[in-house]
């Protein structure tokens, strides 16, 4: 079956511009997570959504980062006024539910380069 | 707080030899433990997980992992390594209790190179 998809696969932007990254989770998965993978910081949690509950935003590094999930499915991660330190691979994952033993399945990621 | 340590940045092993990638964890209460593999320019691919029960967990591609509660470890193993196993491996943890974080906490990753 279809896995988690993300778009674009690569994004190059100039410092100060806004970017939007998209994630389409596995059908039927109620939980959706965003992580960031960078050389210096490894894999960092950013935010997760569980059904219609308020998202857990505890991992967002600054108020320039925001995310929404429309209709309990597709999610968009927005980074405003991008900085060079935002350059990283942004990974999206989904699971049947949040927490517990449910496996998170990852998409291929979006590689963001801020010039 | 939950944390994972992967003490080896790099592991080299000859093809056909057994391999071990080490992982230790810290979490309040009992853990859920996961191993993922990442090939170049790809996302993370699930290998196996420990929930409860048998301490030896078998997963994809002949990999297995042994949960050791007293040593808070969850080492990944394979009896006979293949060149195609060369990749970046991540260990991850999540707490079992209702108050635990829902997200995974990952180790820093171990680059496995299998030499022909």
């Amino acid at each position: 079956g279809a896995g988690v998809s993300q778009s674009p696969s690569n994004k190059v932007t100039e410092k100060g511009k806004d970017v939007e990254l998209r994630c389409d989770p596995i059908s039927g998965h109620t939980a959706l997570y965003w992580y960031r993978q960078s050389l210096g910081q490894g894999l960092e949690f950013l935010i997760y959504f569980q059904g219609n509950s308020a998202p857990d935003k505890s991992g967002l590094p600054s108020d320039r980062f925001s995310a929404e999930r429309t209709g309990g499915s597709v999610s968009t991660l927005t980074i405003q006024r991008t900085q060079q330190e935002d350059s990283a691979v942004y990974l999206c994952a989904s699971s049947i539910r949040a927490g517990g033993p449910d496996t998170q399945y990852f998409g291929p990621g979006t590689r963001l380069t801020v010039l | 707080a939950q944390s994972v340590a992967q003490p080896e940045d790099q592991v080299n092993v000859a093809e056909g030899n057994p391999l071990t990638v080490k992982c230790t964890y810290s979490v309040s209460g009992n853990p859920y433990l996961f191993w993922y593999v990442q090939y170049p320019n790809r996302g993370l691919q699930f290998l196996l997980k420990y929930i409860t029960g048998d301490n030896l967990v078998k997963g994809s591609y002949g990999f297995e992992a042994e949960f050791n509660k007293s040593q808070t470890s969850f080492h990944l193993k394979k009896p006979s390594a293949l060149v195609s196993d060369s990749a970046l491996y991540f260990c991850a943890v999540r707490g079992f209790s209702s108050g635990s974080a829902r997200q995974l906490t990952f180790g820093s990753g171990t680059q496995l190179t299998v030499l022909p």
Side-chain angles (χ1 to χ4, degrees):
Chain A
V4 178
S5 60
Q6 293 185 245
S7 62
S9 55
N10 281 284
K11 177 72 176 178
V12 179
T13 190
E14 294 180 346
K15 178 181 173 181
K17 300 284 190 182
D18 298 351
V19 296
E20 287 189 350
L21 312 179
R22 176 189 168 106
C23 172
D24 203 338
I26 294 172
S27 178
H29 282 192
T30 65
L32 185 150
Y33 304 77
W34 284 98
Y35 294 88
R36 178 169 72 174
Q37 184 177 21
S38 55
L39 280 175
Q41 302 297 322
L43 270 159
E44 304 172 90
F45 163 73
L46 297 176
I47 185 171
Y48 84 79
F49 299 85
Q50 168 59 57
N52 295 321
S53 301
D56 180 339
K57 306 178 183 180
S58 59
L60 295 178
S62 78
D63 58 7
R64 296 187 294 105
F65 289 72
S66 62
E68 63 178 20
R69 189 179 185 191
T70 54
S73 181
V74 171
S75 176
T76 302
L77 177 69
T78 301
I79 309 174
Q80 296 178 312
R81 306 181 302 280
T82 52
Q83 304 294 313
Q84 288 183 334
E85 61 262 28
D86 299 335
S87 295
V89 176
Y90 289 81
L91 293 167
C92 176
S94 71
S95 63
I96 294 174
R97 299 164 302 168
D102 293 346
T103 299
Q104 293 182 23
Y105 295 94
F106 284 78
T110 294
R111 181 175 298 276
L112 175 66
T113 303
V114 182
L115 302 176
Chain B
Q2 51 196 37
S3 65
V4 175
Q6 293 181 243
E8 300 157 319
D9 292 335
Q10 175 83 38
V11 170
N12 296 328
V13 63
E15 187 174 29
N17 282 2
L19 70 86
T20 299
V21 182
K22 296 179 180 178
C23 170
T24 58
Y25 67 90
S26 174
V27 71
S28 178
N30 293 320
Y32 295 121
L33 293 156
F34 301 79
W35 276 101
Y36 287 85
V37 59
Q38 186 176 37
Y39 295 98
N41 300 313
R42 303 278 294 275
L44 274 67
Q45 183 176 334
F46 170 71
L47 277 179
L48 51 79
K49 66 183 177 184
Y50 171 81
I51 302 173
T52 187
D54 194 347
N55 290 341
L56 185 64
V57 179
K58 294 187 182 296
S60 307
Y61 312 117
F63 284 93
E64 56 190 29
E66 186 167 12
F67 171 65
N68 187 316
K69 187 172 183 178
S70 63
Q71 297 185 2
T72 61
S73 67
F74 189 55
H75 301 330
L76 181 69
K77 300 182 180 182
K78 188 174 182 181
S80 178
L82 299 172
V83 172
S84 57
D85 293 331
S86 298
L88 185 59
Y89 289 79
F90 289 96
C91 182
V93 70
R94 183 167 58 223
F96 190 95
S97 63
S98 60
S100 297
R102 302 293 182 91
Q103 69 272 19
L104 292 172
T105 297
F106 287 87
S108 54
T110 298
Q111 180 66 48
L112 172 68
T113 301
V114 181
L115 305 168

